[in-house]
Amino acid sequence: MTAELVRHQPAAPATLPDKMEYARALAVSGMLPSQYRNQPANLLYALEFAGSLGLHPMAAITGVHVIEGKPSASSALISALVRRAGHKLRVTGNDEQATAQIVRCDDPEFVFECTWTWARAERAGLTGKKVWKNYPAAMLKARAITEVAREACEEALSGMHYTPEELGANVNEDGLPEDATVQQLHRVQPGEGDPWTTPAPSITVDPDCFVPYAPAQEIAAAAAEAGTRTAVTACGDRARAADVSADAGILAPDTEKPDTLREYLARRWKALPEEKPTTSDTTPEPDDEGVVDGEIVTPEDDYADAVAELRAAADAARLDDFDAGVTGALGMPLADAPVDAIRALAAQIRPATA
């Protein structure tokens, strides 16, 4: 895989008709992964994606998968992207635990480290999956690699922060999604302009393969009963306190479909109305003219202050690509994040600047 990641330099830019013709010719190959076989529109997407990453097309075709609209990469591809960026990656482990370390090329004195243990995987509700039972060492290493890569060098991942397995796909021993769980890359409806009029396949999830993680499901149920955004935020705090992974699988109360706790809490929080500011227990005394000299803090002001704190912490830590980094850390766009989560992230960044 590493050899394939040598930055691809095409001889000359091809026109769109040339690319379409090439995709048509290649799509008939029986050696392609199933999501591209006889699907030239999907294949063209992958070729364009490879070009945007500076990868050889075969690296993208074999290593990039889109699960429910989100691009994902195998842990092998993520490892190669990290090393291509010049960073050092070391991985060790066995059936009980795995540790991944990254030393950035621009900060060789600091070691980023992440460890995944079988006990941690059990708490996250992962060990019931067949692939985890059969290949524990490989799955632990994959989790450690992707987590440390997100923390140490997110800019090298080109938007592919998770493996297919982390996004809920059923995978094989190599961490590659099985056919039934891969979403087609180019999903269009009739009349929307697909040059090949490729029909959009249906996506099905075998309920026998999905087992919600009980502690996460309990927190999701509490969030479903919550009537305020503050209460939903408290559910997220409860999950962190109980060491329940935000990526733990649940059956979402609003859709009754498999989802992650992170996605459901974000969706539930956004669905609730903004809360009015609460009044202080101590009311300022009016002045001689009967005017109370006090400051009214609105939710908008509180949000703006929290974002300002986060930006200041990120600037002090000299973090690159603020928007992408914050979105990855929060698991949602900054505009959708609750104030408590923004302040908590700022507090995590500050120690790195001390």
Side-chain angles (χ1 to χ4, degrees), residues 35-36 41-43 45-46 64-66 183-187:
Q35 67 266 28
Y36 302 118
N42 296 354
L43 191 54
Y45 179 101
V64 178
H65 307 275
V66 176
Q183 177 174 327
Q184 298 294 342
L185 291 173
H186 190 71
R187 180 185 292 272

Side-chain angles (χ1 to χ4, degrees), residues 43-315:
L43 191 54
L44 179 60
Y45 179 101
L47 296 174
E48 291 295 287
F49 196 76
S52 70
L53 300 181
L55 302 178
H56 190 282
M58 290 300 106
I61 290 173
T62 58
V64 178
H65 307 275
V66 176
I67 310 297
E68 294 298 328
K70 299 178 181 178
S72 65
S74 64
S75 60
L77 179 56
I78 288 178
S79 299
L81 290 171
V82 169
R83 291 184 169 117
R84 189 185 72 171
H87 311 308
K88 294 181 179 179
L89 170 65
R90 298 184 180 91
V91 186
T92 58
N94 50 39
D95 286 352
E96 296 298 325
Q97 70 173 39
T99 297
Q101 297 177 324
I102 288 179
V103 178
R104 289 184 59 93
C105 59
D106 56 359
D107 187 13
E109 302 301 321
F110 186 81
V111 179
F112 292 86
E113 182 176 291
C114 174
T115 297
W116 266 81
T117 63
W118 186 255
R120 183 181 177 187
E122 285 183 324
R123 291 195 298 270
L126 302 172
T127 55
K129 298 179 180 180
K130 181 179 178 180
V131 68
W132 277 83
K133 294 178 180 178
N134 293 342
Y135 307 98
M139 302 311 294
L140 289 171
K141 288 179 181 178
R143 286 275 174 159
I145 289 170
T146 54
E147 185 169 296
V148 76
R150 288 193 294 269
E151 179 182 352
C153 50
E154 184 175 349
E155 78 286 350
L157 305 184
S158 302
M160 297 181 294
H161 305 121
Y162 299 95
T163 63
E165 190 268 336
E166 288 176 301
L167 292 180
N170 297 322
V171 299
N172 59 23
E173 63 272 21
D174 296 319
L176 302 178
E178 297 176 349
D179 291 349
T181 62
V182 178
Q183 177 174 327
Q184 298 294 342
L185 291 173
H186 190 71
R187 180 185 292 272
V188 297
Q189 299 300 325
E192 289 188 347
D194 178 10
W196 292 286
T197 61
T198 303
S202 60
I203 303 301
T204 59
V205 177
D206 185 353
D208 295 334
C209 297
F210 180 79
V211 180
Y213 183 46
Q217 190 68 52
E218 183 178 344
I219 293 172
E225 297 294 329
T228 65
R229 290 182 170 184
T230 299
V232 175
T233 301
C235 291
D237 295 338
R238 173 181 165 188
R240 285 189 288 272
D243 199 20
V244 175
S245 171
D247 295 319
I250 63 165
L251 197 64
D254 57 344
T255 64
E256 297 185 353
K257 295 181 179 180
D259 208 339
T260 65
L261 180 62
R262 181 198 307 277
E263 294 290 344
Y264 174 68
L265 290 182
R267 193 164 61 248
R268 178 61 180 154
W269 184 92
K270 192 173 182 179
L272 292 170
E274 293 186 5
E275 300 170 45
K276 296 181 179 180
T278 57
T279 57
S280 173
D281 294 336
T282 58
T283 304
E285 293 293 332
D287 58 19
D288 293 338
E289 298 180 357
V291 178
V292 174
D293 184 15
E295 180 182 3
I296 299 176
V297 179
T298 66
E300 291 80 7
D301 294 333
D302 194 26
Y303 173 81
D305 290 343
V307 172
E309 290 179 21
L310 181 57
R311 287 189 179 277
D315 289 342

